[in-house]
Amino acid sequence: GSGLSPFLVLGRVARMPAKVVVIGFDAAEATLVEPWARDGCLPAFGRLTEEGTLLRPETNVDTLPASIWAEIATGRLGGKIGWYWNRYQMHSGETVSRQTRAEDVDLTAVWDLASRAGRRCAVLDVPHAAPAAGLNGIQLREWGNHDTAFDFGTEPPEFMDEVLERFGRYPGPRGDDCEEHETDADLERILDGIEQGVERKRELFRTVLEEGEWDLFFACFSESHCVSHQYWQYFDTTSPWHQPNAPERFKRAIPTVYRRLDAALEELLEAAGADATIIAVLSHGMGQSVGGPQVLPEVLVRLGYGSGHGVTSTVRGRMPPVVKRALKFVLRGGARNRLQRAAGSLPRPLESPQTRAIRVHNGRCGAIRLNVKGREPFGAVERGAEYDAVCAELIDEIGKLENADTGAPAVREVVRTDAV
């Protein structure tokens, strides 16, 4: 009833140690963290490794890589809660993907359950966290996340004003900002922002931790995600895109940011108090960019699963891009639609009952959705025996794909989602 935000009120409470502290490191690569922790390069991680227990949780990262943080927060598999691609996904009865809304998926998290049980919670920048209305505590969403889903916000809403007043806007790149670069100067700017982002988050997290009295404190650094996306090829000498003559700062970017994150972890360990239970979470890791989900639409058309069949669909796939652009410019209205339908390149392929399967976005792992009768408005595949036969044929045909340069298999594994 003081009129102050909960954050400021908490600042007036005598500091008590937090009970459970979870610190996430989005996309931090465990095969780097573990040896650097042992070697003393990351002393805070080393301390946790020596004094605690190392666990390797099972996840769906091989099939649903974008569901990892929802699985960590909820304790449930992405396929069970209906969370597949964090930005947009298909829904039954619809023909196009749309932006995922919090109300579309049950993202009830550990902090929601703790709050309902009367525990005080602080939830800060956990990726893909749904708004926790009525939370017994505070929540900060997508202030400095690499991956975004539901936009910047807080619970309670007035907590946002305090964050901006005391800590300002996040200084590092967020979401697609991480990808916007063309020159070394752009990469210098991005790296500056990432390093500043670690320090600003460290300040915010420690302040909240010290000024509060928390049963559960759950916060996440995302800088390990962005730095890997943009500087992995400079760090990894085995990468086909490695540049030996690149600026030294770029080649050192990943270990430099990891050391900053380790220093931030050390501060939070101190602030948490000696009796706190500490959990450090590394999510899906990072490595060389591999995979070919971008070729699936063409593969499906050539296999006869698109709206187009026969010569037209085959010819389209072999047209030079300049010819495709010229046809798109020349043809309009019904003529363009008819050609697209025949070529299997409709902008909304599920709106044709001839389409039997399409590619859907699923990160680095390709994913296929069948056009099922009774689920899609223009369904083409019957449930039951026909569905099973289509799946079997796709598994067989896609499994035969080869790398044209080496002759090696292009696909490691094809799985049915209802089996995994």
Side-chain angles (χ1 to χ4, degrees), residues 78-90:
K80 297 294 186 184
I81 62 177
W83 180 269
Y84 311 113
W85 178 242
N86 59 290
R87 295 190 180 183
Y88 43 87
Q89 59 189 47
M90 296 292 305

Side-chain angles (χ1 to χ4, degrees), residues 281-330:
V281 180
L282 314 185
S283 64
H284 52 294
M286 192 63 63
Q288 290 185 21
S289 177
V290 295
Q294 70 279 2
V295 305
L296 269 180
E298 183 66 27
V299 168
L300 291 172
V301 168
R302 294 195 189 187
L303 289 175
Y305 282 88
S307 61
H309 302 288
V311 175
T312 307
S313 61
T314 304
V315 169
R316 171 195 160 277
R318 292 170 170 77
M319 280 185 183
V322 64
V323 176
K324 293 180 184 178
R325 288 195 294 270
L327 286 173
K328 186 179 293 187
F329 178 78
V330 171

Side-chain angles (χ1 to χ4, degrees), residues 208-336:
V208 174
L209 187 54
E210 289 185 329
E211 295 187 0
E213 185 177 1
W214 308 109
D215 293 298
L216 173 63
F217 179 93
F218 199 134
C220 186
F221 291 93
S222 289
E223 293 76 14
S224 43
H225 196 147
C226 188
V227 74
S228 296
H229 268 309
Q230 302 312 323
Y231 304 92
W232 188 271
Q233 69 269 26
Y234 302 111
F235 165 76
D236 183 359
T237 57
T238 69
S239 168
W241 301 283
H242 181 65
Q243 300 177 30
N245 298 322
E248 284 299 315
R249 189 184 180 206
F250 296 172
K251 292 190 282 188
R252 296 194 306 268
I254 290 176
T256 297
V257 170
Y258 276 41
R259 282 193 293 269
R260 285 180 178 269
L261 292 170
D262 185 78
L265 175 61
E266 184 62 45
E267 282 197 17
L268 294 174
L269 294 179
E270 294 175 1
D275 296 329
T277 297
I278 309 294
I279 304 173
V281 180
L282 314 185
S283 64
H284 52 294
M286 192 63 63
Q288 290 185 21
S289 177
V290 295
Q294 70 279 2
V295 305
L296 269 180
E298 183 66 27
V299 168
L300 291 172
V301 168
R302 294 195 189 187
L303 289 175
Y305 282 88
S307 61
H309 302 288
V311 175
T312 307
S313 61
T314 304
V315 169
R316 171 195 160 277
R318 292 170 170 77
M319 280 185 183
V322 64
V323 176
K324 293 180 184 178
R325 288 195 294 270
L327 286 173
K328 186 179 293 187
F329 178 78
V330 171
L331 297 175
R332 291 288 188 272
R336 177 192 288 187

Side-chain angles (χ1 to χ4, degrees), residues 64-126:
L64 295 178
S67 70
I68 182 69
W69 276 108
E71 295 182 351
I72 290 170
T74 68
R76 292 168 289 152
L77 295 175
K80 297 294 186 184
I81 62 177
W83 180 269
Y84 311 113
W85 178 242
N86 59 290
R87 295 190 180 183
Y88 43 87
Q89 59 189 47
M90 296 292 305
H91 292 266
S92 296
E94 301 176 9
T95 59
V96 294
S97 299
R98 59 173 165 82
Q99 184 171 354
T100 304
R101 304 168 301 190
E103 58 267 28
D104 291 333
V105 185
D106 178 9
L107 292 174
T108 301
V110 60
W111 50 81
D112 296 304
L113 302 178
S115 175
R116 293 172 191 173
R119 308 300 185 183
R120 291 195 60 76
C121 306
V123 185
L124 306 174
D125 256 5
V126 180

Side-chain angles (χ1 to χ4, degrees), residues 168-189:
R169 294 279 178 180
Y170 179 71
R174 296 175 66 254
D176 292 338
D177 296 341
C178 180
E179 312 296 336
E180 294 180 359
H181 59 83
E182 295 180 358
T183 66
D184 282 359
D186 293 331
L187 287 169
E188 289 278 1
R189 171 183 52 79

Side-chain angles (χ1 to χ4, degrees), residues 23-207:
I23 308 297
F25 298 89
D26 186 23
E29 175 53 39
T31 61
L32 299 181
V33 172
E34 291 179 23
W36 289 347
R38 289 194 302 268
D39 296 345
C41 297
L42 303 178
F45 280 106
R47 173 182 158 194
L48 287 181
T49 302
E50 292 174 3
E51 299 177 1
T53 302
L54 185 64
L55 302 175
R56 302 184 188 279
E58 293 183 3
T59 69
N60 276 337
V61 72
D62 280 343
T63 49
L64 295 178
S67 70
I68 182 69
W69 276 108
E71 295 182 351
I72 290 170
T74 68
R76 292 168 289 152
L77 295 175
K80 297 294 186 184
I81 62 177
W83 180 269
Y84 311 113
W85 178 242
N86 59 290
R87 295 190 180 183
Y88 43 87
Q89 59 189 47
M90 296 292 305
H91 292 266
S92 296
E94 301 176 9
T95 59
V96 294
S97 299
R98 59 173 165 82
Q99 184 171 354
T100 304
R101 304 168 301 190
E103 58 267 28
D104 291 333
V105 185
D106 178 9
L107 292 174
T108 301
V110 60
W111 50 81
D112 296 304
L113 302 178
S115 175
R116 293 172 191 173
R119 308 300 185 183
R120 291 195 60 76
C121 306
V123 185
L124 306 174
D125 256 5
V126 180
H128 308 161
L135 186 72
N136 182 19
I138 55 174
Q139 181 191 37
L140 174 65
R141 302 187 313 277
E142 300 190 7
W143 178 70
N145 289 147
H146 175 80
D147 282 341
T148 57
F150 304 122
D151 299 325
F152 175 37
T154 64
E155 297 294 338
E158 57 267 26
F159 178 45
M160 182 187 295
D161 296 333
E162 185 165 354
V163 170
L164 295 177
E165 181 179 344
R166 297 181 69 172
F167 304 99
R169 294 279 178 180
Y170 179 71
R174 296 175 66 254
D176 292 338
D177 296 341
C178 180
E179 312 296 336
E180 294 180 359
H181 59 83
E182 295 180 358
T183 66
D184 282 359
D186 293 331
L187 287 169
E188 289 278 1
R189 171 183 52 79
I190 289 173
L191 188 51
D192 286 342
I194 292 171
E195 293 182 355
Q196 293 166 17
V198 174
E199 302 311 313
R200 192 73 59 85
K201 277 197 177 183
R202 169 162 64 172
E203 180 186 3
L204 188 154
F205 292 173
R206 177 160 187 160
T207 300

